[in-house]
Amino acid sequence: MNNEILHKENLTNGMFYMQDDEGIVCELTYVKKEKVLVIDHTQTRKSLEGNGLASKLLDHTVNYAREKDFKIDPLCPFAEVKFDENEDYQDVKV
């Protein structure tokens, strides 16, 4: 599996994801509201859960938000827990 993080977005929504020959391995989706990324979903292929892939996507999203001057609203349960656990994310939290 390639751990390259891919990104696609339009005016209102976006997604960071990893894929392999079988399709999407892990994804994190968001909705853009002004200068806020609302993380509304994360999912990892069942057979690969527990390998830290979603955490890598979340780290990438936090860095993207910092570079683009966005804040993050961690709406999905996974992102919410990770934001509570990680003090380093608080600078981008709404």
Side-chain angles (χ1 to χ4, degrees):
M1 179 187 78
N2 182 353
N3 278 337
E4 179 185 6
I5 296 175
L6 304 170
H7 184 216
K8 59 183 173 182
E9 70 177 356
N10 59 33
L11 293 175
T12 59
N13 301 313
M15 178 169 95
F16 289 103
Y17 62 103
M18 295 177 201
Q19 65 183 17
D20 63 13
D21 293 338
E22 297 175 31
I24 292 177
V25 171
C26 185
E27 67 183 18
L28 178 152
T29 63
Y30 60 86
V31 177
K32 291 192 288 188
K33 294 186 177 181
E34 311 231 346
K35 292 298 281 181
V36 176
L37 303 178
V38 180
I39 298 174
D40 58 0
H41 175 75
T42 54
Q43 184 172 343
T44 302
R45 190 182 295 158
K46 289 276 186 213
S47 62
L48 296 172
E49 286 179 353
N51 290 318
L53 299 177
S55 293
K56 286 181 185 178
L57 289 183
L58 185 58
D59 283 341
H60 189 85
T61 305
V62 167
N63 288 327
Y64 175 82
R66 287 179 180 137
E67 289 170 11
K68 302 292 184 182
D69 198 30
F70 280 97
K71 292 292 186 181
I72 293 178
D73 181 0
L75 183 64
C76 97
F78 173 80
E80 184 179 23
V81 166
K82 291 299 183 183
F83 264 76
D84 288 345
E85 291 176 353
N86 195 332
E87 194 65 36
D88 292 340
Y89 292 168
Q90 299 313 305
D91 65 311
V92 296
K93 188 174 182 180
V94 172

